[in-house]
Amino acid sequence: MASSVRDERAAARSGPRRVVVGVSGSIAAYKAPGVIRLLRQAGHEVKVVATQAALRFIGAPALAAVSGGPVGTGVFDDPAAVEHVATGEWAELVLVAPASADLLARVAAGRADDLLTATILTTSAPVVLAPAMHTQMWLNPATVENVATLRRRGLTVIDPDSGRLTGADSGPGRLPEPERVVAEALAVLGRTGDPSASQPLAGRHVVVSAGGTREPIDPVRYLGNRSSGRQGVAIAAQAARLGARVTLVAANIEAEVLRDLPAQAEVVQAPTALELREAVRRAGRDADVVVMAAAVADYRPAQVAGTKIKKHALDGQADASHRATDALSIRLVENPDVLAELVSDPPRRQGRTLVVGFAAETGDEDGDVLAHGAAKARRKGADLLAVNAVGEGTGFGDVPNRVVVLDREGNEVARASGSKAQVARALLDLVAQRLA
Ligand code: CTP
């Protein structure tokens, strides 16, 4: 109770908000105008999006009149306006009241076959669903699973009221009165609208290394790796969005990838392991968090030739007939382990820096991906280590990512999967929790 009072206060403090009210096909659609009226009375701006089925229960003119604007229905009403994207971006909150069993199923399945479901799929605003249906439908395992899926994904599903339903029957499934629907929806908005909740990294300095180092062999050749830097850039961008001051230490990242970074992030170029170590340690002097997402070469050529090494450099020293067996050897020396050094010899003298590492593993005869990850977590001692399997189709480049996050003892603390932005968000939520 205390927290919902605080949440409503937070919502009130943050002033009028933009709310999309979705209405789906249920007899309880007649209560939607009550919900819209309460939101507008509280000073919020409302846009109504109704499904075709909803309009069989309540007329669009009634919804337009109470909301003070047109009612959207189909994605093809005005294709040029790309309504679902525009509506999803406009929304600071999406509240569906009533949400029918069919609507819950479509949202759970990720469908986007009308303006309402397409808006829900597009928006980054919190989504609150207020179900209304017959008890049998609410208790059906299909609906129970859909509700669990939606809640797991972070959508809020309000519990329906119990009581008399449309027919002679009664039980859980009634749409709560508009006052409760609005109070619960605004409480969600209050939680996410509270600046300390939406910007948990405000006032923090987050340093992210990303990309892959290139260790020069001669002026035109190098030893490198396939890291694109996308995951690290996604983390830097997300950290900035969560309020942090961000320094990206970039090892050979394409300009097209760096474009995802907000303008206020500082970018320091560090093409080799030694330069990266230097840049990370310098930026790390006042860092609250260092995320080592860069693929740092473990070895570098012991000597860098000042001029291009010629293919037939051995000509004249050996008989041409021996050339096929002549091999060119490059002696390598070990690079410093930047991450391990951050833990054993932190550049920040006052205050503590949270250190996050990545481990790209393939698994081999000595152990699977997680076993290697756990051993690495214990060896490196980072506060968090995000382990991901790499290989064809996973890990590198513009592909979804899946990570298991371990603590310094190698114990699993979380799993995250999805786009690189979603993985970044999940990791930074863990970071924010630990900093708090
Ligand atoms: N790392 C680092 N300095 C290095 C090598 C790696 O800071 N010289 C960091 C990476 O940025 C990453 C973590 O250590 O956060 C793990 O990198 P990875 O290449 O998986 O580990 P290695 O220690 O190189 O282990 P191995 O190659 O044997 O798997």
Side-chain angles (χ1 to χ4, degrees), residues 209 273 276 291-299 335-342 356-361 372 376 379-380 385:
S209 74
L276 186 135
V291 181
M292 285 294 298
V296 186
D298 291 326
Y299 296 92
N335 272 327
D337 187 321
V338 185
L339 177 66
E341 276 184 5
L342 286 171
V356 183
F358 269 82
E361 302 288 348
H372 279 294
K376 196 168 284 179
R379 195 167 70 239
K380 301 226 178 197
L385 188 76

Side-chain angles (χ1 to χ4, degrees), residues 160-432:
D161 273 352
S162 264
R164 187 71 192 271
L165 300 165
T166 324
D169 45 349
S170 72
R174 272 170 64 94
L175 183 72
E177 288 312 310
E179 287 74 13
R180 177 153 92 84
V181 171
V182 169
E184 294 211 16
L186 290 182
V188 171
L189 190 55
R191 277 197 290 279
T192 54
D194 182 350
S196 69
S198 63
Q199 299 240 297
L201 297 179
R204 305 288 191 173
H205 182 201
V206 175
V207 177
V208 183
S209 74
T213 63
R214 293 178 182 173
E215 309 303 320
I217 297 170
D218 68 14
V220 294
R221 303 187 182 91
Y222 58 82
L223 287 176
N225 61 70
R226 296 173 55 204
S227 178
S228 67
R230 279 195 166 83
Q231 183 62 76
V233 169
I235 292 170
Q238 218 25 276
R241 242 169 257 137
L242 297 179
R245 173 163 74 85
V246 172
T247 305
L248 180 82
V249 177
N252 310 296
I253 304 176
E254 301 264 336
E256 174 240 323
V257 175
L258 284 177
R259 223 175 281 144
D260 293 341
L261 214 56
Q264 71 269 27
E266 188 191 351
V267 180
V268 181
Q269 301 289 349
T272 66
L274 293 181
E275 287 163 308
L276 186 135
R277 174 218 225 172
E278 189 52 38
V280 166
R281 293 193 67 82
R282 189 170 319 123
R285 284 181 200 149
D286 66 350
D288 298 286
V289 184
V290 177
V291 181
M292 285 294 298
V296 186
D298 291 326
Y299 296 92
R300 66 180 185 279
Q303 266 157 12
V304 182
T307 54
K308 190 180 173 204
I309 299 173
K310 304 305 273 183
K311 187 172 173 189
H312 295 146
L314 301 178
D315 282 1
Q317 297 171 22
D319 188 284
S321 63
H322 291 146
R323 208 182 288 141
T325 57
D326 291 336
L328 177 67
S329 299
I330 301 172
R331 206 168 68 80
L332 302 177
V333 291
E334 199 169 338
N335 272 327
D337 187 321
V338 185
L339 177 66
E341 276 184 5
L342 286 171
V343 176
S344 62
D345 177 22
R348 181 171 180 164
R349 295 297 172 204
Q350 280 180 340
R352 197 175 120 62
T353 302
L354 194 94
V355 178
V356 183
F358 269 82
E361 302 288 348
T362 58
D364 57 24
E365 61 279 5
D366 293 331
D368 63 8
V369 167
L370 266 190
H372 279 294
K376 196 168 284 179
R378 289 188 285 269
R379 195 167 70 239
K380 301 226 178 197
D383 296 278
L384 296 170
L385 188 76
V387 182
N388 64 335
V390 287
E392 234 144 272
T394 50
F396 288 118
D398 193 9
V399 293
N401 209 352
R402 183 175 304 136
V403 300
V404 178
V405 186
L406 306 177
D407 63 15
R408 63 172 68 220
E409 277 85 42
N411 299 317
E412 181 176 330
V413 290
R415 279 175 186 242
S417 63
S419 67
K420 290 193 158 76
Q422 285 167 323
V423 168
R425 180 63 206 251
L427 256 182
L428 289 171
D429 283 347
L430 281 176
V431 163

Side-chain angles (χ1 to χ4, degrees), residues 33-44 177-180 182:
V35 169
I36 297 164
R37 194 172 295 119
L38 283 176
L39 284 166
R40 293 195 69 201
Q41 276 169 5
H44 304 292
E177 288 312 310
E179 287 74 13
R180 177 153 92 84
V182 169

Side-chain angles (χ1 to χ4, degrees), residues 7 9-20 39-40 42-47 90-93 125-126 185-186 188-195 198:
D7 294 340
R9 273 202 216 117
R13 225 188 12 246
S14 49
R17 307 296 284 268
R18 299 185 300 272
V19 185
V20 167
L39 284 166
R40 293 195 69 201
H44 304 292
E45 213 180 324
V46 174
K47 211 178 246 190
W90 178 87
E92 289 176 281
L93 170 73
L186 290 182
V188 171
L189 190 55
R191 277 197 290 279
T192 54
D194 182 350
S198 63

